[in-house]
Amino acid sequence: MKGIVYRKLTEADLEAFIGMRMTQLAEEYEVTGREVPKNLDLVSALQDYYHRHLADGTFVSWLALDGDKIIGTSGMSIVEKPPYFTCPTGRLGILSSMFTNPDYRRMGIAKDLLGRVVEEARSLSCGAVWITASDMGVKLYTAFGFEHNGNFMQYKL
């Protein structure tokens, strides 16, 4: 899209990035009919996470900007598990923070951001990229080539 600039997230962007992450999480939560928890200090936890993992290289993010305004975000945590047949490096990219300002949706921004973080995963020798997709995101990820993994299960603690 003309006028949109893409660049990597820096420490200086974290306040705006975390604000968008909170908006994304609230939007996803409310779609399911649940109320956003009021007594949970998620902002402090996010600040801690992003500071640590940007510094050690285990979190990467690309931003979309219109002027100096962040209008789209992506994020990927790099994790490592024992290698297996479909991921011989054991390195995985786990996507999060895929969000586009509602005024900029359906313009290809999310697809561009997704392409950039997938290339990051490839350059970091990840064998796969995972995401737990919102209903809104499933079409984007499917069109990009992501496949459902029926074996994924979760146990909440």
Side-chain angles (χ1 to χ4, degrees), residues 49 57-60 76-80 91-94 121 124 126:
Y49 179 87
T58 59
F59 182 80
V60 294
M76 182 176 58
S77 300
I78 308 300
V79 300
E80 193 167 356
R91 293 175 61 89
L92 300 168
I94 300 177
L124 295 169
C126 291

Side-chain angles (χ1 to χ4, degrees), residues 7 13 16 64-71:
R7 68 169 172 78
D13 301 313
L65 295 101
D66 186 0
D68 60 357
K69 177 183 176 185
I70 299 172
I71 57 158

Side-chain angles (χ1 to χ4, degrees), residues 6 32 36 63 80 87 98 107 115-116 119 124 138:
Y6 297 90
T32 65
V36 174
L63 306 175
E80 193 167 356
C87 185
M98 293 294 300
M107 297 179 181
R116 284 169 168 76
E119 282 306 311
L124 295 169
V138 168

Side-chain angles (χ1 to χ4, degrees), residues 125-141:
S125 300
C126 291
V129 176
W130 290 356
I131 188 165
T132 302
S134 66
D135 291 342
M136 190 170 28
V138 168
K139 288 182 183 177
L140 167 69
Y141 304 119

